[in-house]
Amino acid sequence: MSDWYLILMIWGDAYSDADCDRLIRKAHMHSPSLKGTIVLSDRVDRRLDPRAIQYPISPDFDRSDFKKNGLAVKISMFEIDGLPPGTPCVYVDLDSVIIGDLGKVAALTLTAPLWTLPTPRARLDAWSRLRWRLSRGRRYGAGNSSVFAYRNAFPGNPTAKFRNKTPVFGRAASDDIRSNDDRFIGWSCQDVIRPLPTQLAVRFRIEFLEVTFWMNRIKARYRRKARQALVVVTFDGALTKPAVIATLRDGAVIADHHGRRARWTDLEMSGLRQTMQDALQD
């Protein structure tokens, strides 16, 4: 894979400079083709790893109402002025762990300009694109914005469409769509967005938690080989944040807000329990 950049975004004090540094170090440790890291921030005086380049969040997105609920501020990442158009980028949320070569994720941009995590209700496949076309944009699938692979400033990217207030149904995109990063990105790029392979990137609570322990043990066995190839795991959800995972003891029960659960054991984590915990250390 040719040179590519890791993209991080931070504002306020929900996350720290140390959270950025942890991901920067792990990315460079595992990814020999990584050129550098761009950190988009509400301030550019953070004490970060010298391999990071700090850029301010674009002023038209650096607004308080864009940093809550749907996090519209994240729509700004697809046009970074400091990078040439077409540069491969991998964005990772700060509540994630990098446990493998992110260059494998960056390489996906050679076949499509935008990749994101699928959700149980949106597979982002050929059927979803056909449904989007037949409905003239009324029906679309939205992924999860914890991880992206994309080419910077690709034609028709979400940042440009958001700024231009691209019409939908003959008028500007509704506030409901524009106020939610997942929905806007899915709606605006349904024709080109692709699902990240689950052997490379997953959401912890979707991949590792099930509604019963016995279902989780079965899944852990048949997914064990695929899970060994994972390069990034994101811990979205209030009850499964990195601070919780980092302090779990072997055998502890972990659950999310939907009642999915698992035991923190090598069996149910397919041998990745210690790997994920080690990756969370500063």
Side-chain angles (χ1 to χ4, degrees):
M1 178 63 198
S2 59
D3 292 344
W4 57 276
Y5 283 82
L6 172 67
I7 310 299
L8 303 176
M9 185 175 287
I10 184 171
W11 66 85
D13 28 354
Y15 295 96
S16 68
D17 295 357
D19 292 314
C20 288
D21 277 352
R22 171 176 56 82
L23 291 171
I24 295 167
R25 288 197 305 272
K26 299 299 183 182
H28 278 279
M29 179 188 303
H30 292 292
S31 310
S33 58
L34 174 58
K35 178 72 171 179
T37 301
I38 303 293
V39 178
L40 302 172
S41 176
D42 53 356
R43 57 186 181 85
V44 292
D45 59 349
R46 296 183 180 275
R47 300 175 64 86
L48 298 178
D49 187 297
R51 290 170 292 192
I53 304 171
Q54 300 185 52
Y55 280 99
I57 295 171
S58 181
D60 52 337
F61 284 89
D62 193 9
R63 298 168 28 177
S64 59
D65 57 326
F66 282 7
K67 299 175 183 176
K68 58 185 179 182
N69 301 323
L71 299 180
V73 65
K74 292 170 72 173
I75 302 171
S76 69
M77 75 175 73
F78 300 99
E79 287 193 345
I80 300 175
D81 291 339
L83 294 179
T87 300
C89 298
V90 177
Y91 167 82
V92 177
D93 264 359
L94 298 183
D95 54 359
S96 305
V97 292
I98 296 170
I99 58 176
D101 184 2
L102 278 176
K104 296 176 182 178
V105 177
L108 295 172
T109 64
L110 298 175
T111 57
L114 178 60
W115 297 74
T116 192
L117 290 169
T119 62
R121 295 183 178 181
R123 305 310 301 173
L124 304 175
D125 55 12
W127 164 244
S128 66
R129 294 190 289 277
L130 176 61
R131 183 181 60 176
W132 174 79
R133 286 193 293 270
L134 292 177
S135 68
R136 297 184 179 180
R138 287 178 169 82
R139 301 187 68 185
Y140 60 93
N144 178 274
S145 62
S146 296
V147 181
F148 284 114
Y150 64 95
R151 295 198 293 265
N152 184 53
F154 68 88
N157 68 80
T159 307
K161 287 186 175 179
F162 190 93
R163 285 180 169 142
N164 296 337
K165 296 184 177 181
T166 299
V168 55
F169 317 141
R171 60 182 183 276
S174 71
D175 291 340
D176 184 44
I177 294 176
R178 288 174 57 81
S179 64
N180 183 288
D181 59 325
D182 290 337
R183 294 190 64 190
F184 185 84
I185 292 165
W187 166 77
S188 66
C189 294
Q190 192 75 187
D191 54 337
V192 298
I193 196 168
R194 299 292 184 270
L196 287 166
T198 55
Q199 69 267 29
L200 292 180
V202 295
R203 300 161 68 190
F204 174 79
R205 62 190 184 90
I206 302 299
E207 174 65 28
F208 289 92
L209 307 185
E210 288 293 339
V211 294
T212 64
F213 291 127
W214 67 266
M215 289 175 64
N216 204 48
R217 288 193 293 271
I218 292 172
K219 185 177 181 180
R221 282 188 168 90
Y222 81 76
R223 285 282 296 167
R224 184 179 181 88
K225 183 177 181 180
R227 287 174 176 177
Q228 307 313 303
L230 285 172
V231 302
V232 58
V233 179
T234 188
F235 296 95
D236 65 321
L239 301 181
T240 52
K241 288 297 184 185
V244 175
I245 304 298
T247 59
L248 286 175
R249 294 187 177 184
D250 189 13
V253 174
I254 183 169
D256 73 357
H257 58 287
H258 289 299
R260 302 184 188 95
R261 54 185 178 164
R263 290 189 178 91
W264 186 245
T265 64
D266 286 330
L267 171 61
E268 296 196 25
M269 298 297 113
S270 299
L272 294 179
R273 177 182 62 86
Q274 196 61 52
T275 298
M276 288 189 283
Q277 234 161 11
D278 288 346
L280 286 169
Q281 304 307 311
D282 291 334

